[in-house]
C-alpha cells in the first residue's frame, strides 16, 4: 500500500524534466500504549488476552488494526520465548540468559584483580622510596674523615677487601657522669684501644687482631695535617703510631710491617660503641668463665647472658683479669664484635625502621671512616664479621714469637708473611696462632 500523495507527477518515478520536489506524508496518529502494571505484579504473557476479557497489549497491535503502521515499541523481551503466531517481535525462541540482581547503589562490580595490582605497585614504590631515603639519610650521617690518599709507599692491591677496624678510647661527647658510669677515666685526647684487620674474601673471611703492644717499626711518613715529610721513628709499640699522627700513620705503619694493603678504615669511640649495643637492645653472648676487673668495671658470671652497652664496653676493655693480658682481651673483642654484627645484620633490625634508625643514629655519628667508604662498604664489613661468627671464616691473633722491649710483643714474621700471602691471593687461611 502506498500512502504517498501524487503531487503533479513529481513523485517517485517521475520522468518529468522538472526536479523532484519534497515528498509529503499524511499524518498518522500513533496508537496509545496501554499503561503497564507496577513492577512485580503478575502480568499476562505478551500477545495473550487477560483472563477478565479486558484489552491486553499485543506487540502486533498496529498490524492487527490494519493501519500498516509499526509503532516501533520494543517490549525489551529480546530473548523471550516464542510468541503466538511466530511473530517477529521478540522472536528467535533462544534460551533466556541468566538475570542478575542489580548491585546496591548501582555501578559496575569492582575489579579486584586491578585493585590488587595497583596495591602491589604502591607497596613496591613505597618500599623503594623508604629504602632510598634511608640510604641517603644514613650516608649523610657518616663521618668520612680519614684520607688514605695521604698514606705513602703503599703495597699493591690484593684479591680481598681489607678493613682496619679500630676501637679508640676517645671520650668525645661524654659527660662526666657517663665517663664515671663507663669507667673510661678522663684522659685527654685519644689512643687506640683495639685494632683488627678484617679480610673479606671469597675463600672465607678472616679477622686478625693486632695487639696494641705489638713491637713494630714506625716508618717515614707525611704528616696528615702539616703535609711535611717525617723520618722513620724506629721500633715502638703499635698504638704509638696513632698517637703520633692519627689514623693515616697507623695505616701506614700496619701496611709497612705486614705488606698488606688496607682498603678501608673504620674507628669508633667508647660512647658510640655503648650506644650501638643499647640501641640493639643488648647483645647475646656466652661467657665461658666468669671474671671481675675493677679498672674496666667488669663483673661477669659464666653462662649465656645479654650484655647492655655498659657491660659490653667493660667486656672488651678488660685485660688485667687475664694471665694473657692483651692477647686474651683481643680474643674477647673479636668474639663480641662478631656477636654484635650478628645482632645488627638481621632482618629484624634491617627491615624494622623502629630498630634500624636508632641503631644507625647511635653508631654513624660516632663512627669515623675513610673518605672512600660508602654505606654499602660499611654494610659489607658488618656482614663479613657476621659470617665469621656463623662459622664462615676464621678469627685469630697476629702470630706472636715472644716478648720484645718495653714489655711488648714480637710478631712471628715467617707466619705473618704466610698469612698475608694467603689473604692477598684470596686463599683459605691455614696459619695458626695463639
Amino acid at each position: 500500500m502506498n500512502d504517498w500523495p501524487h503531487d503533479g507527477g513529481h513523485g517517485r518515478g517521475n520522468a518529468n524534466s522538472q526536479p523532484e520536489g519534497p515528498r509529503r506524508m499524511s499524518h498518522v496518529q500513533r496508537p496509545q500504549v496501554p499503561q503497564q502494571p507496577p513492577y512485580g505484579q503478575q502480568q499476562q504473557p505478551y500477545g495473550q488476552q487477560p483472563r477478565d476479557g479486558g484489552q491486553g497489549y499485543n506487540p502486533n497491535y498496529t498490524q492487527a488494526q490494519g493501519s500498516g503502521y509499526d509503532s516501533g515499541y520494543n517490549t525489551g523481551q529480546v530473548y523471550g520465548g516464542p510468541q503466538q503466531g511466530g511473530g517477529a517481535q521478540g522472536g528467535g525462541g533462544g534460551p533466556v540468559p541468566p538475570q542478575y540482581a542489580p548491585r546496591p547503589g548501582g555501578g559496575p562490580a569492582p575489579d579486584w584483580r586491578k585493585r590488587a595490582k595497583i596495591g602491589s605497585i604502591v607497596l613496591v614504590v613505597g618500599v623503594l622510596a623508604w629504602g632510598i631515603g634511608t640510604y641517603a639519610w644514613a650516608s649523610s650521617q657518616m663521618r668520612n674523615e680519614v684520607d688514605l690518599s695521604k698514606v705513602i709507599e703503599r703495597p699493591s692491591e690484593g684479591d680481598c677487601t681489607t678493613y682496619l677496624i679500630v676501637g679508640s678510647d676517645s671520650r668525645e661527647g661524654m659527660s662526666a657522669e657517663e665517663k664515671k658510669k663507663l669507667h673510661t677515666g678522663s684522659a685527654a685526647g685519644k689512643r687506640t684501644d683495639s685494632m683488627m684487620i678484617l679480610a673479606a674474601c671469597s675463600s672465607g673471611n678472616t679477622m686478625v687482631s693486632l695487639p696494641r703492644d705489638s713491637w713494630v717499626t714506625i716508618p717515614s711518613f707525611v704528616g696528615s695535617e702539616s703535609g711535611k715529610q717525617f723520618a722513620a721513628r724506629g721500633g715502638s709499640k703499635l698504638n704509638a703510631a696513632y698517637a703520633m699522627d692519627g689514623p693515616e700513620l697507623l695505616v701506614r705503619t700496619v701496611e709497612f710491617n705486614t705488606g698488606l694493603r688496607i682498603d678501608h678504615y673504620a674507628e669508633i669511640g667508647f660512647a658510640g660503641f655503648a650506644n650501638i649495643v643499647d640501641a640493639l637492645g643488648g647483645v647475646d653472648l656466652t661467657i665461658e668463665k666468669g671474671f671481675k676487673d675493677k679498672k674496666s668495671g667488669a663483673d661477669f658470671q659464666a653462662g649465656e647472658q645479654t650484655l647492655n652497652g655498659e657491660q659490653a664496653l667493660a667486656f672488651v676493655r678488660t685485660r688485667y683479669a687475664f694471665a694473657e693480658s692483651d692477647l686474651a682481651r683481643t680474643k674477647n673483642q673479636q668474639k663480641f664484635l662478631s656477636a654484635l654484627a650478628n645482632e645488627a645484620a638481621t632482618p629484624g633490625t634491617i627491615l624494622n625502621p623502629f630498630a634500624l634508625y636508632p641503631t644507625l643514629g647511635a653508631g654513624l655519628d660516632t663512627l669515623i671512616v675513610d673518605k672512600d667508604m660508602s654505606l654499602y662498604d660499611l654494610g659489607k664489613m658488618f656482614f663479613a664479621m657476621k659470617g665469621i661468627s656463623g662459622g664462615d671464616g676464621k678469627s685469630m691473633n697476629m702470630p706472636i714469637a715472644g716478648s720484645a722491649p718495653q714489655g711488648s710483643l714480637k710478631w712471628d714474621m715467617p707466619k705473618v708473611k704466610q698469612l698475608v700471602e694467603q689473604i692477598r691471593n684470596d686463599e683459605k687461611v691455614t696459619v695458626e696462632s695463639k
Side-chain angles (χ1 to χ4, degrees):
M1 177 178 178
N2 187 0
D3 291 334
W4 293 93
H6 297 279
D7 291 336
H10 298 296
R12 182 171 48 189
N14 175 33
N16 196 303
S17 61
Q18 296 295 327
E20 184 178 0
R23 301 176 183 178
R24 294 180 303 175
M25 186 178 74
S26 59
H27 179 70
V28 178
Q29 179 67 37
R30 179 186 292 268
Q32 184 175 1
V33 178
Q35 184 175 0
Q36 300 296 314
Y39 178 76
Q41 296 185 8
Q42 183 66 31
Q43 300 185 35
Q44 297 296 326
Y46 292 143
Q48 297 183 14
Q49 295 294 330
R51 294 178 181 177
D52 58 3
Q55 176 65 46
Y57 176 69
N58 186 342
N60 296 322
Y61 173 77
T62 53
Q63 287 83 349
Q65 297 300 314
S67 64
Y69 173 71
D70 185 356
S71 69
Y73 180 79
N74 187 345
T75 67
Q77 192 171 346
V78 178
Y79 301 99
Q83 302 290 326
Q84 287 188 357
Q89 296 284 93
V96 179
Q99 303 297 313
Y100 298 96
R103 293 180 64 248
D111 187 343
W112 293 110
R113 288 185 179 180
K114 184 176 181 180
R115 292 188 179 186
K117 184 177 181 180
I118 293 175
S120 300
I121 293 174
V122 171
L123 178 62
V124 170
V125 171
V127 171
L128 287 175
W130 173 79
I132 294 172
T134 300
Y135 189 92
W137 171 80
S139 297
S140 68
Q141 300 298 306
M142 292 180 64
R143 296 174 59 179
N144 298 89
E145 299 177 4
V146 180
D147 190 355
L148 296 183
S149 66
K150 295 180 179 179
V151 179
I152 61 174
E153 301 175 9
R154 309 196 66 186
S156 59
E157 294 184 358
D159 294 331
C160 300
T161 301
T162 55
Y163 303 82
L164 181 59
I165 303 172
V166 175
S168 77
D169 63 359
S170 171
R171 296 152 178 87
E172 180 182 354
M174 296 177 64
S175 64
E177 183 179 352
E178 289 173 327
K179 292 177 183 177
K180 182 178 179 180
K181 178 183 177 182
L182 298 176
H183 300 271
T184 64
S186 300
K190 60 180 181 178
R191 288 150 293 278
T192 54
D193 205 57
S194 61
M195 291 165 282
M196 302 177 194
I197 294 175
L198 173 64
C201 309
S202 60
S203 60
N205 304 320
T206 303
M207 185 182 290
V208 183
S209 287
L210 309 176
R212 68 176 190 174
D213 290 337
S214 299
W215 188 256
V216 296
T217 298
I218 297 182
S220 60
F221 64 98
V222 174
S224 58
E225 298 293 335
S226 65
K228 295 181 180 180
Q229 180 82 29
F230 292 91
R233 300 301 175 94
S236 183
K237 291 184 178 181
L238 181 58
N239 62 349
Y242 185 93
M244 286 182 189
D245 198 53
E248 288 83 0
L249 180 55
L250 178 61
V251 171
R252 163 74 170 141
T253 302
V254 170
E255 289 186 342
F256 180 83
N257 286 271
T258 64
L260 182 67
R261 185 184 180 96
I262 300 299
D263 297 313
H264 294 292
Y265 178 93
E267 174 192 326
I268 191 166
F270 285 158
F273 181 83
N275 289 340
I276 290 177
V277 175
D278 287 335
L280 288 170
V283 173
D284 297 332
L285 195 70
T286 298
I287 299 177
E288 297 175 359
K289 185 179 180 179
F291 61 89
K292 291 184 179 181
D293 181 42
K294 185 177 180 180
K295 289 183 177 294
S296 66
D299 186 2
F300 297 104
Q301 301 295 322
E304 185 176 345
Q305 48 206 288
T306 300
L307 275 58
N308 60 25
E310 178 183 351
Q311 294 170 323
L313 189 59
F315 180 80
V316 299
R317 294 187 62 219
T318 298
R319 63 171 174 164
Y320 293 107
F322 309 118
E324 293 180 299
S325 186
D326 204 34
L327 291 178
R329 178 172 69 166
T330 56
K331 292 179 181 178
N332 282 344
Q333 290 170 347
Q334 289 179 345
K335 182 177 182 178
F336 186 83
L337 281 181
S338 295
L340 175 65
N342 189 62
E343 189 76 28
T346 60
T349 300
I350 297 174
L351 300 179
N352 182 1
F354 297 103
L356 178 63
Y357 280 91
T359 303
L360 291 175
L364 289 178
D365 59 352
T366 58
L367 185 67
I368 299 174
V369 298
D370 65 271
K371 292 183 178 295
D372 294 328
M373 182 180 276
S374 65
L375 191 63
Y376 175 74
D377 295 321
L378 187 62
K380 286 177 61 179
M381 183 186 79
F382 269 92
F383 275 99
M385 288 192 292
K386 179 182 178 180
I388 292 175
S389 68
D392 182 22
K394 183 175 184 176
S395 60
M396 58 183 292
N397 279 319
M398 185 65 81
I400 302 296
S403 59
Q406 302 177 20
S408 60
L409 298 171
K410 181 182 178 181
W411 290 356
D412 187 336
M413 292 311 297
K415 286 188 174 181
V416 170
K417 289 182 180 179
Q418 182 184 0
L419 172 64
V420 169
E421 194 68 18
Q422 289 176 340
I423 292 175
R424 183 187 290 118
N425 296 329
D426 196 358
E427 300 172 356
K428 183 177 178 61
V429 172
T430 60
V431 177
E432 299 293 336
S433 67
K434 296 180 180 180

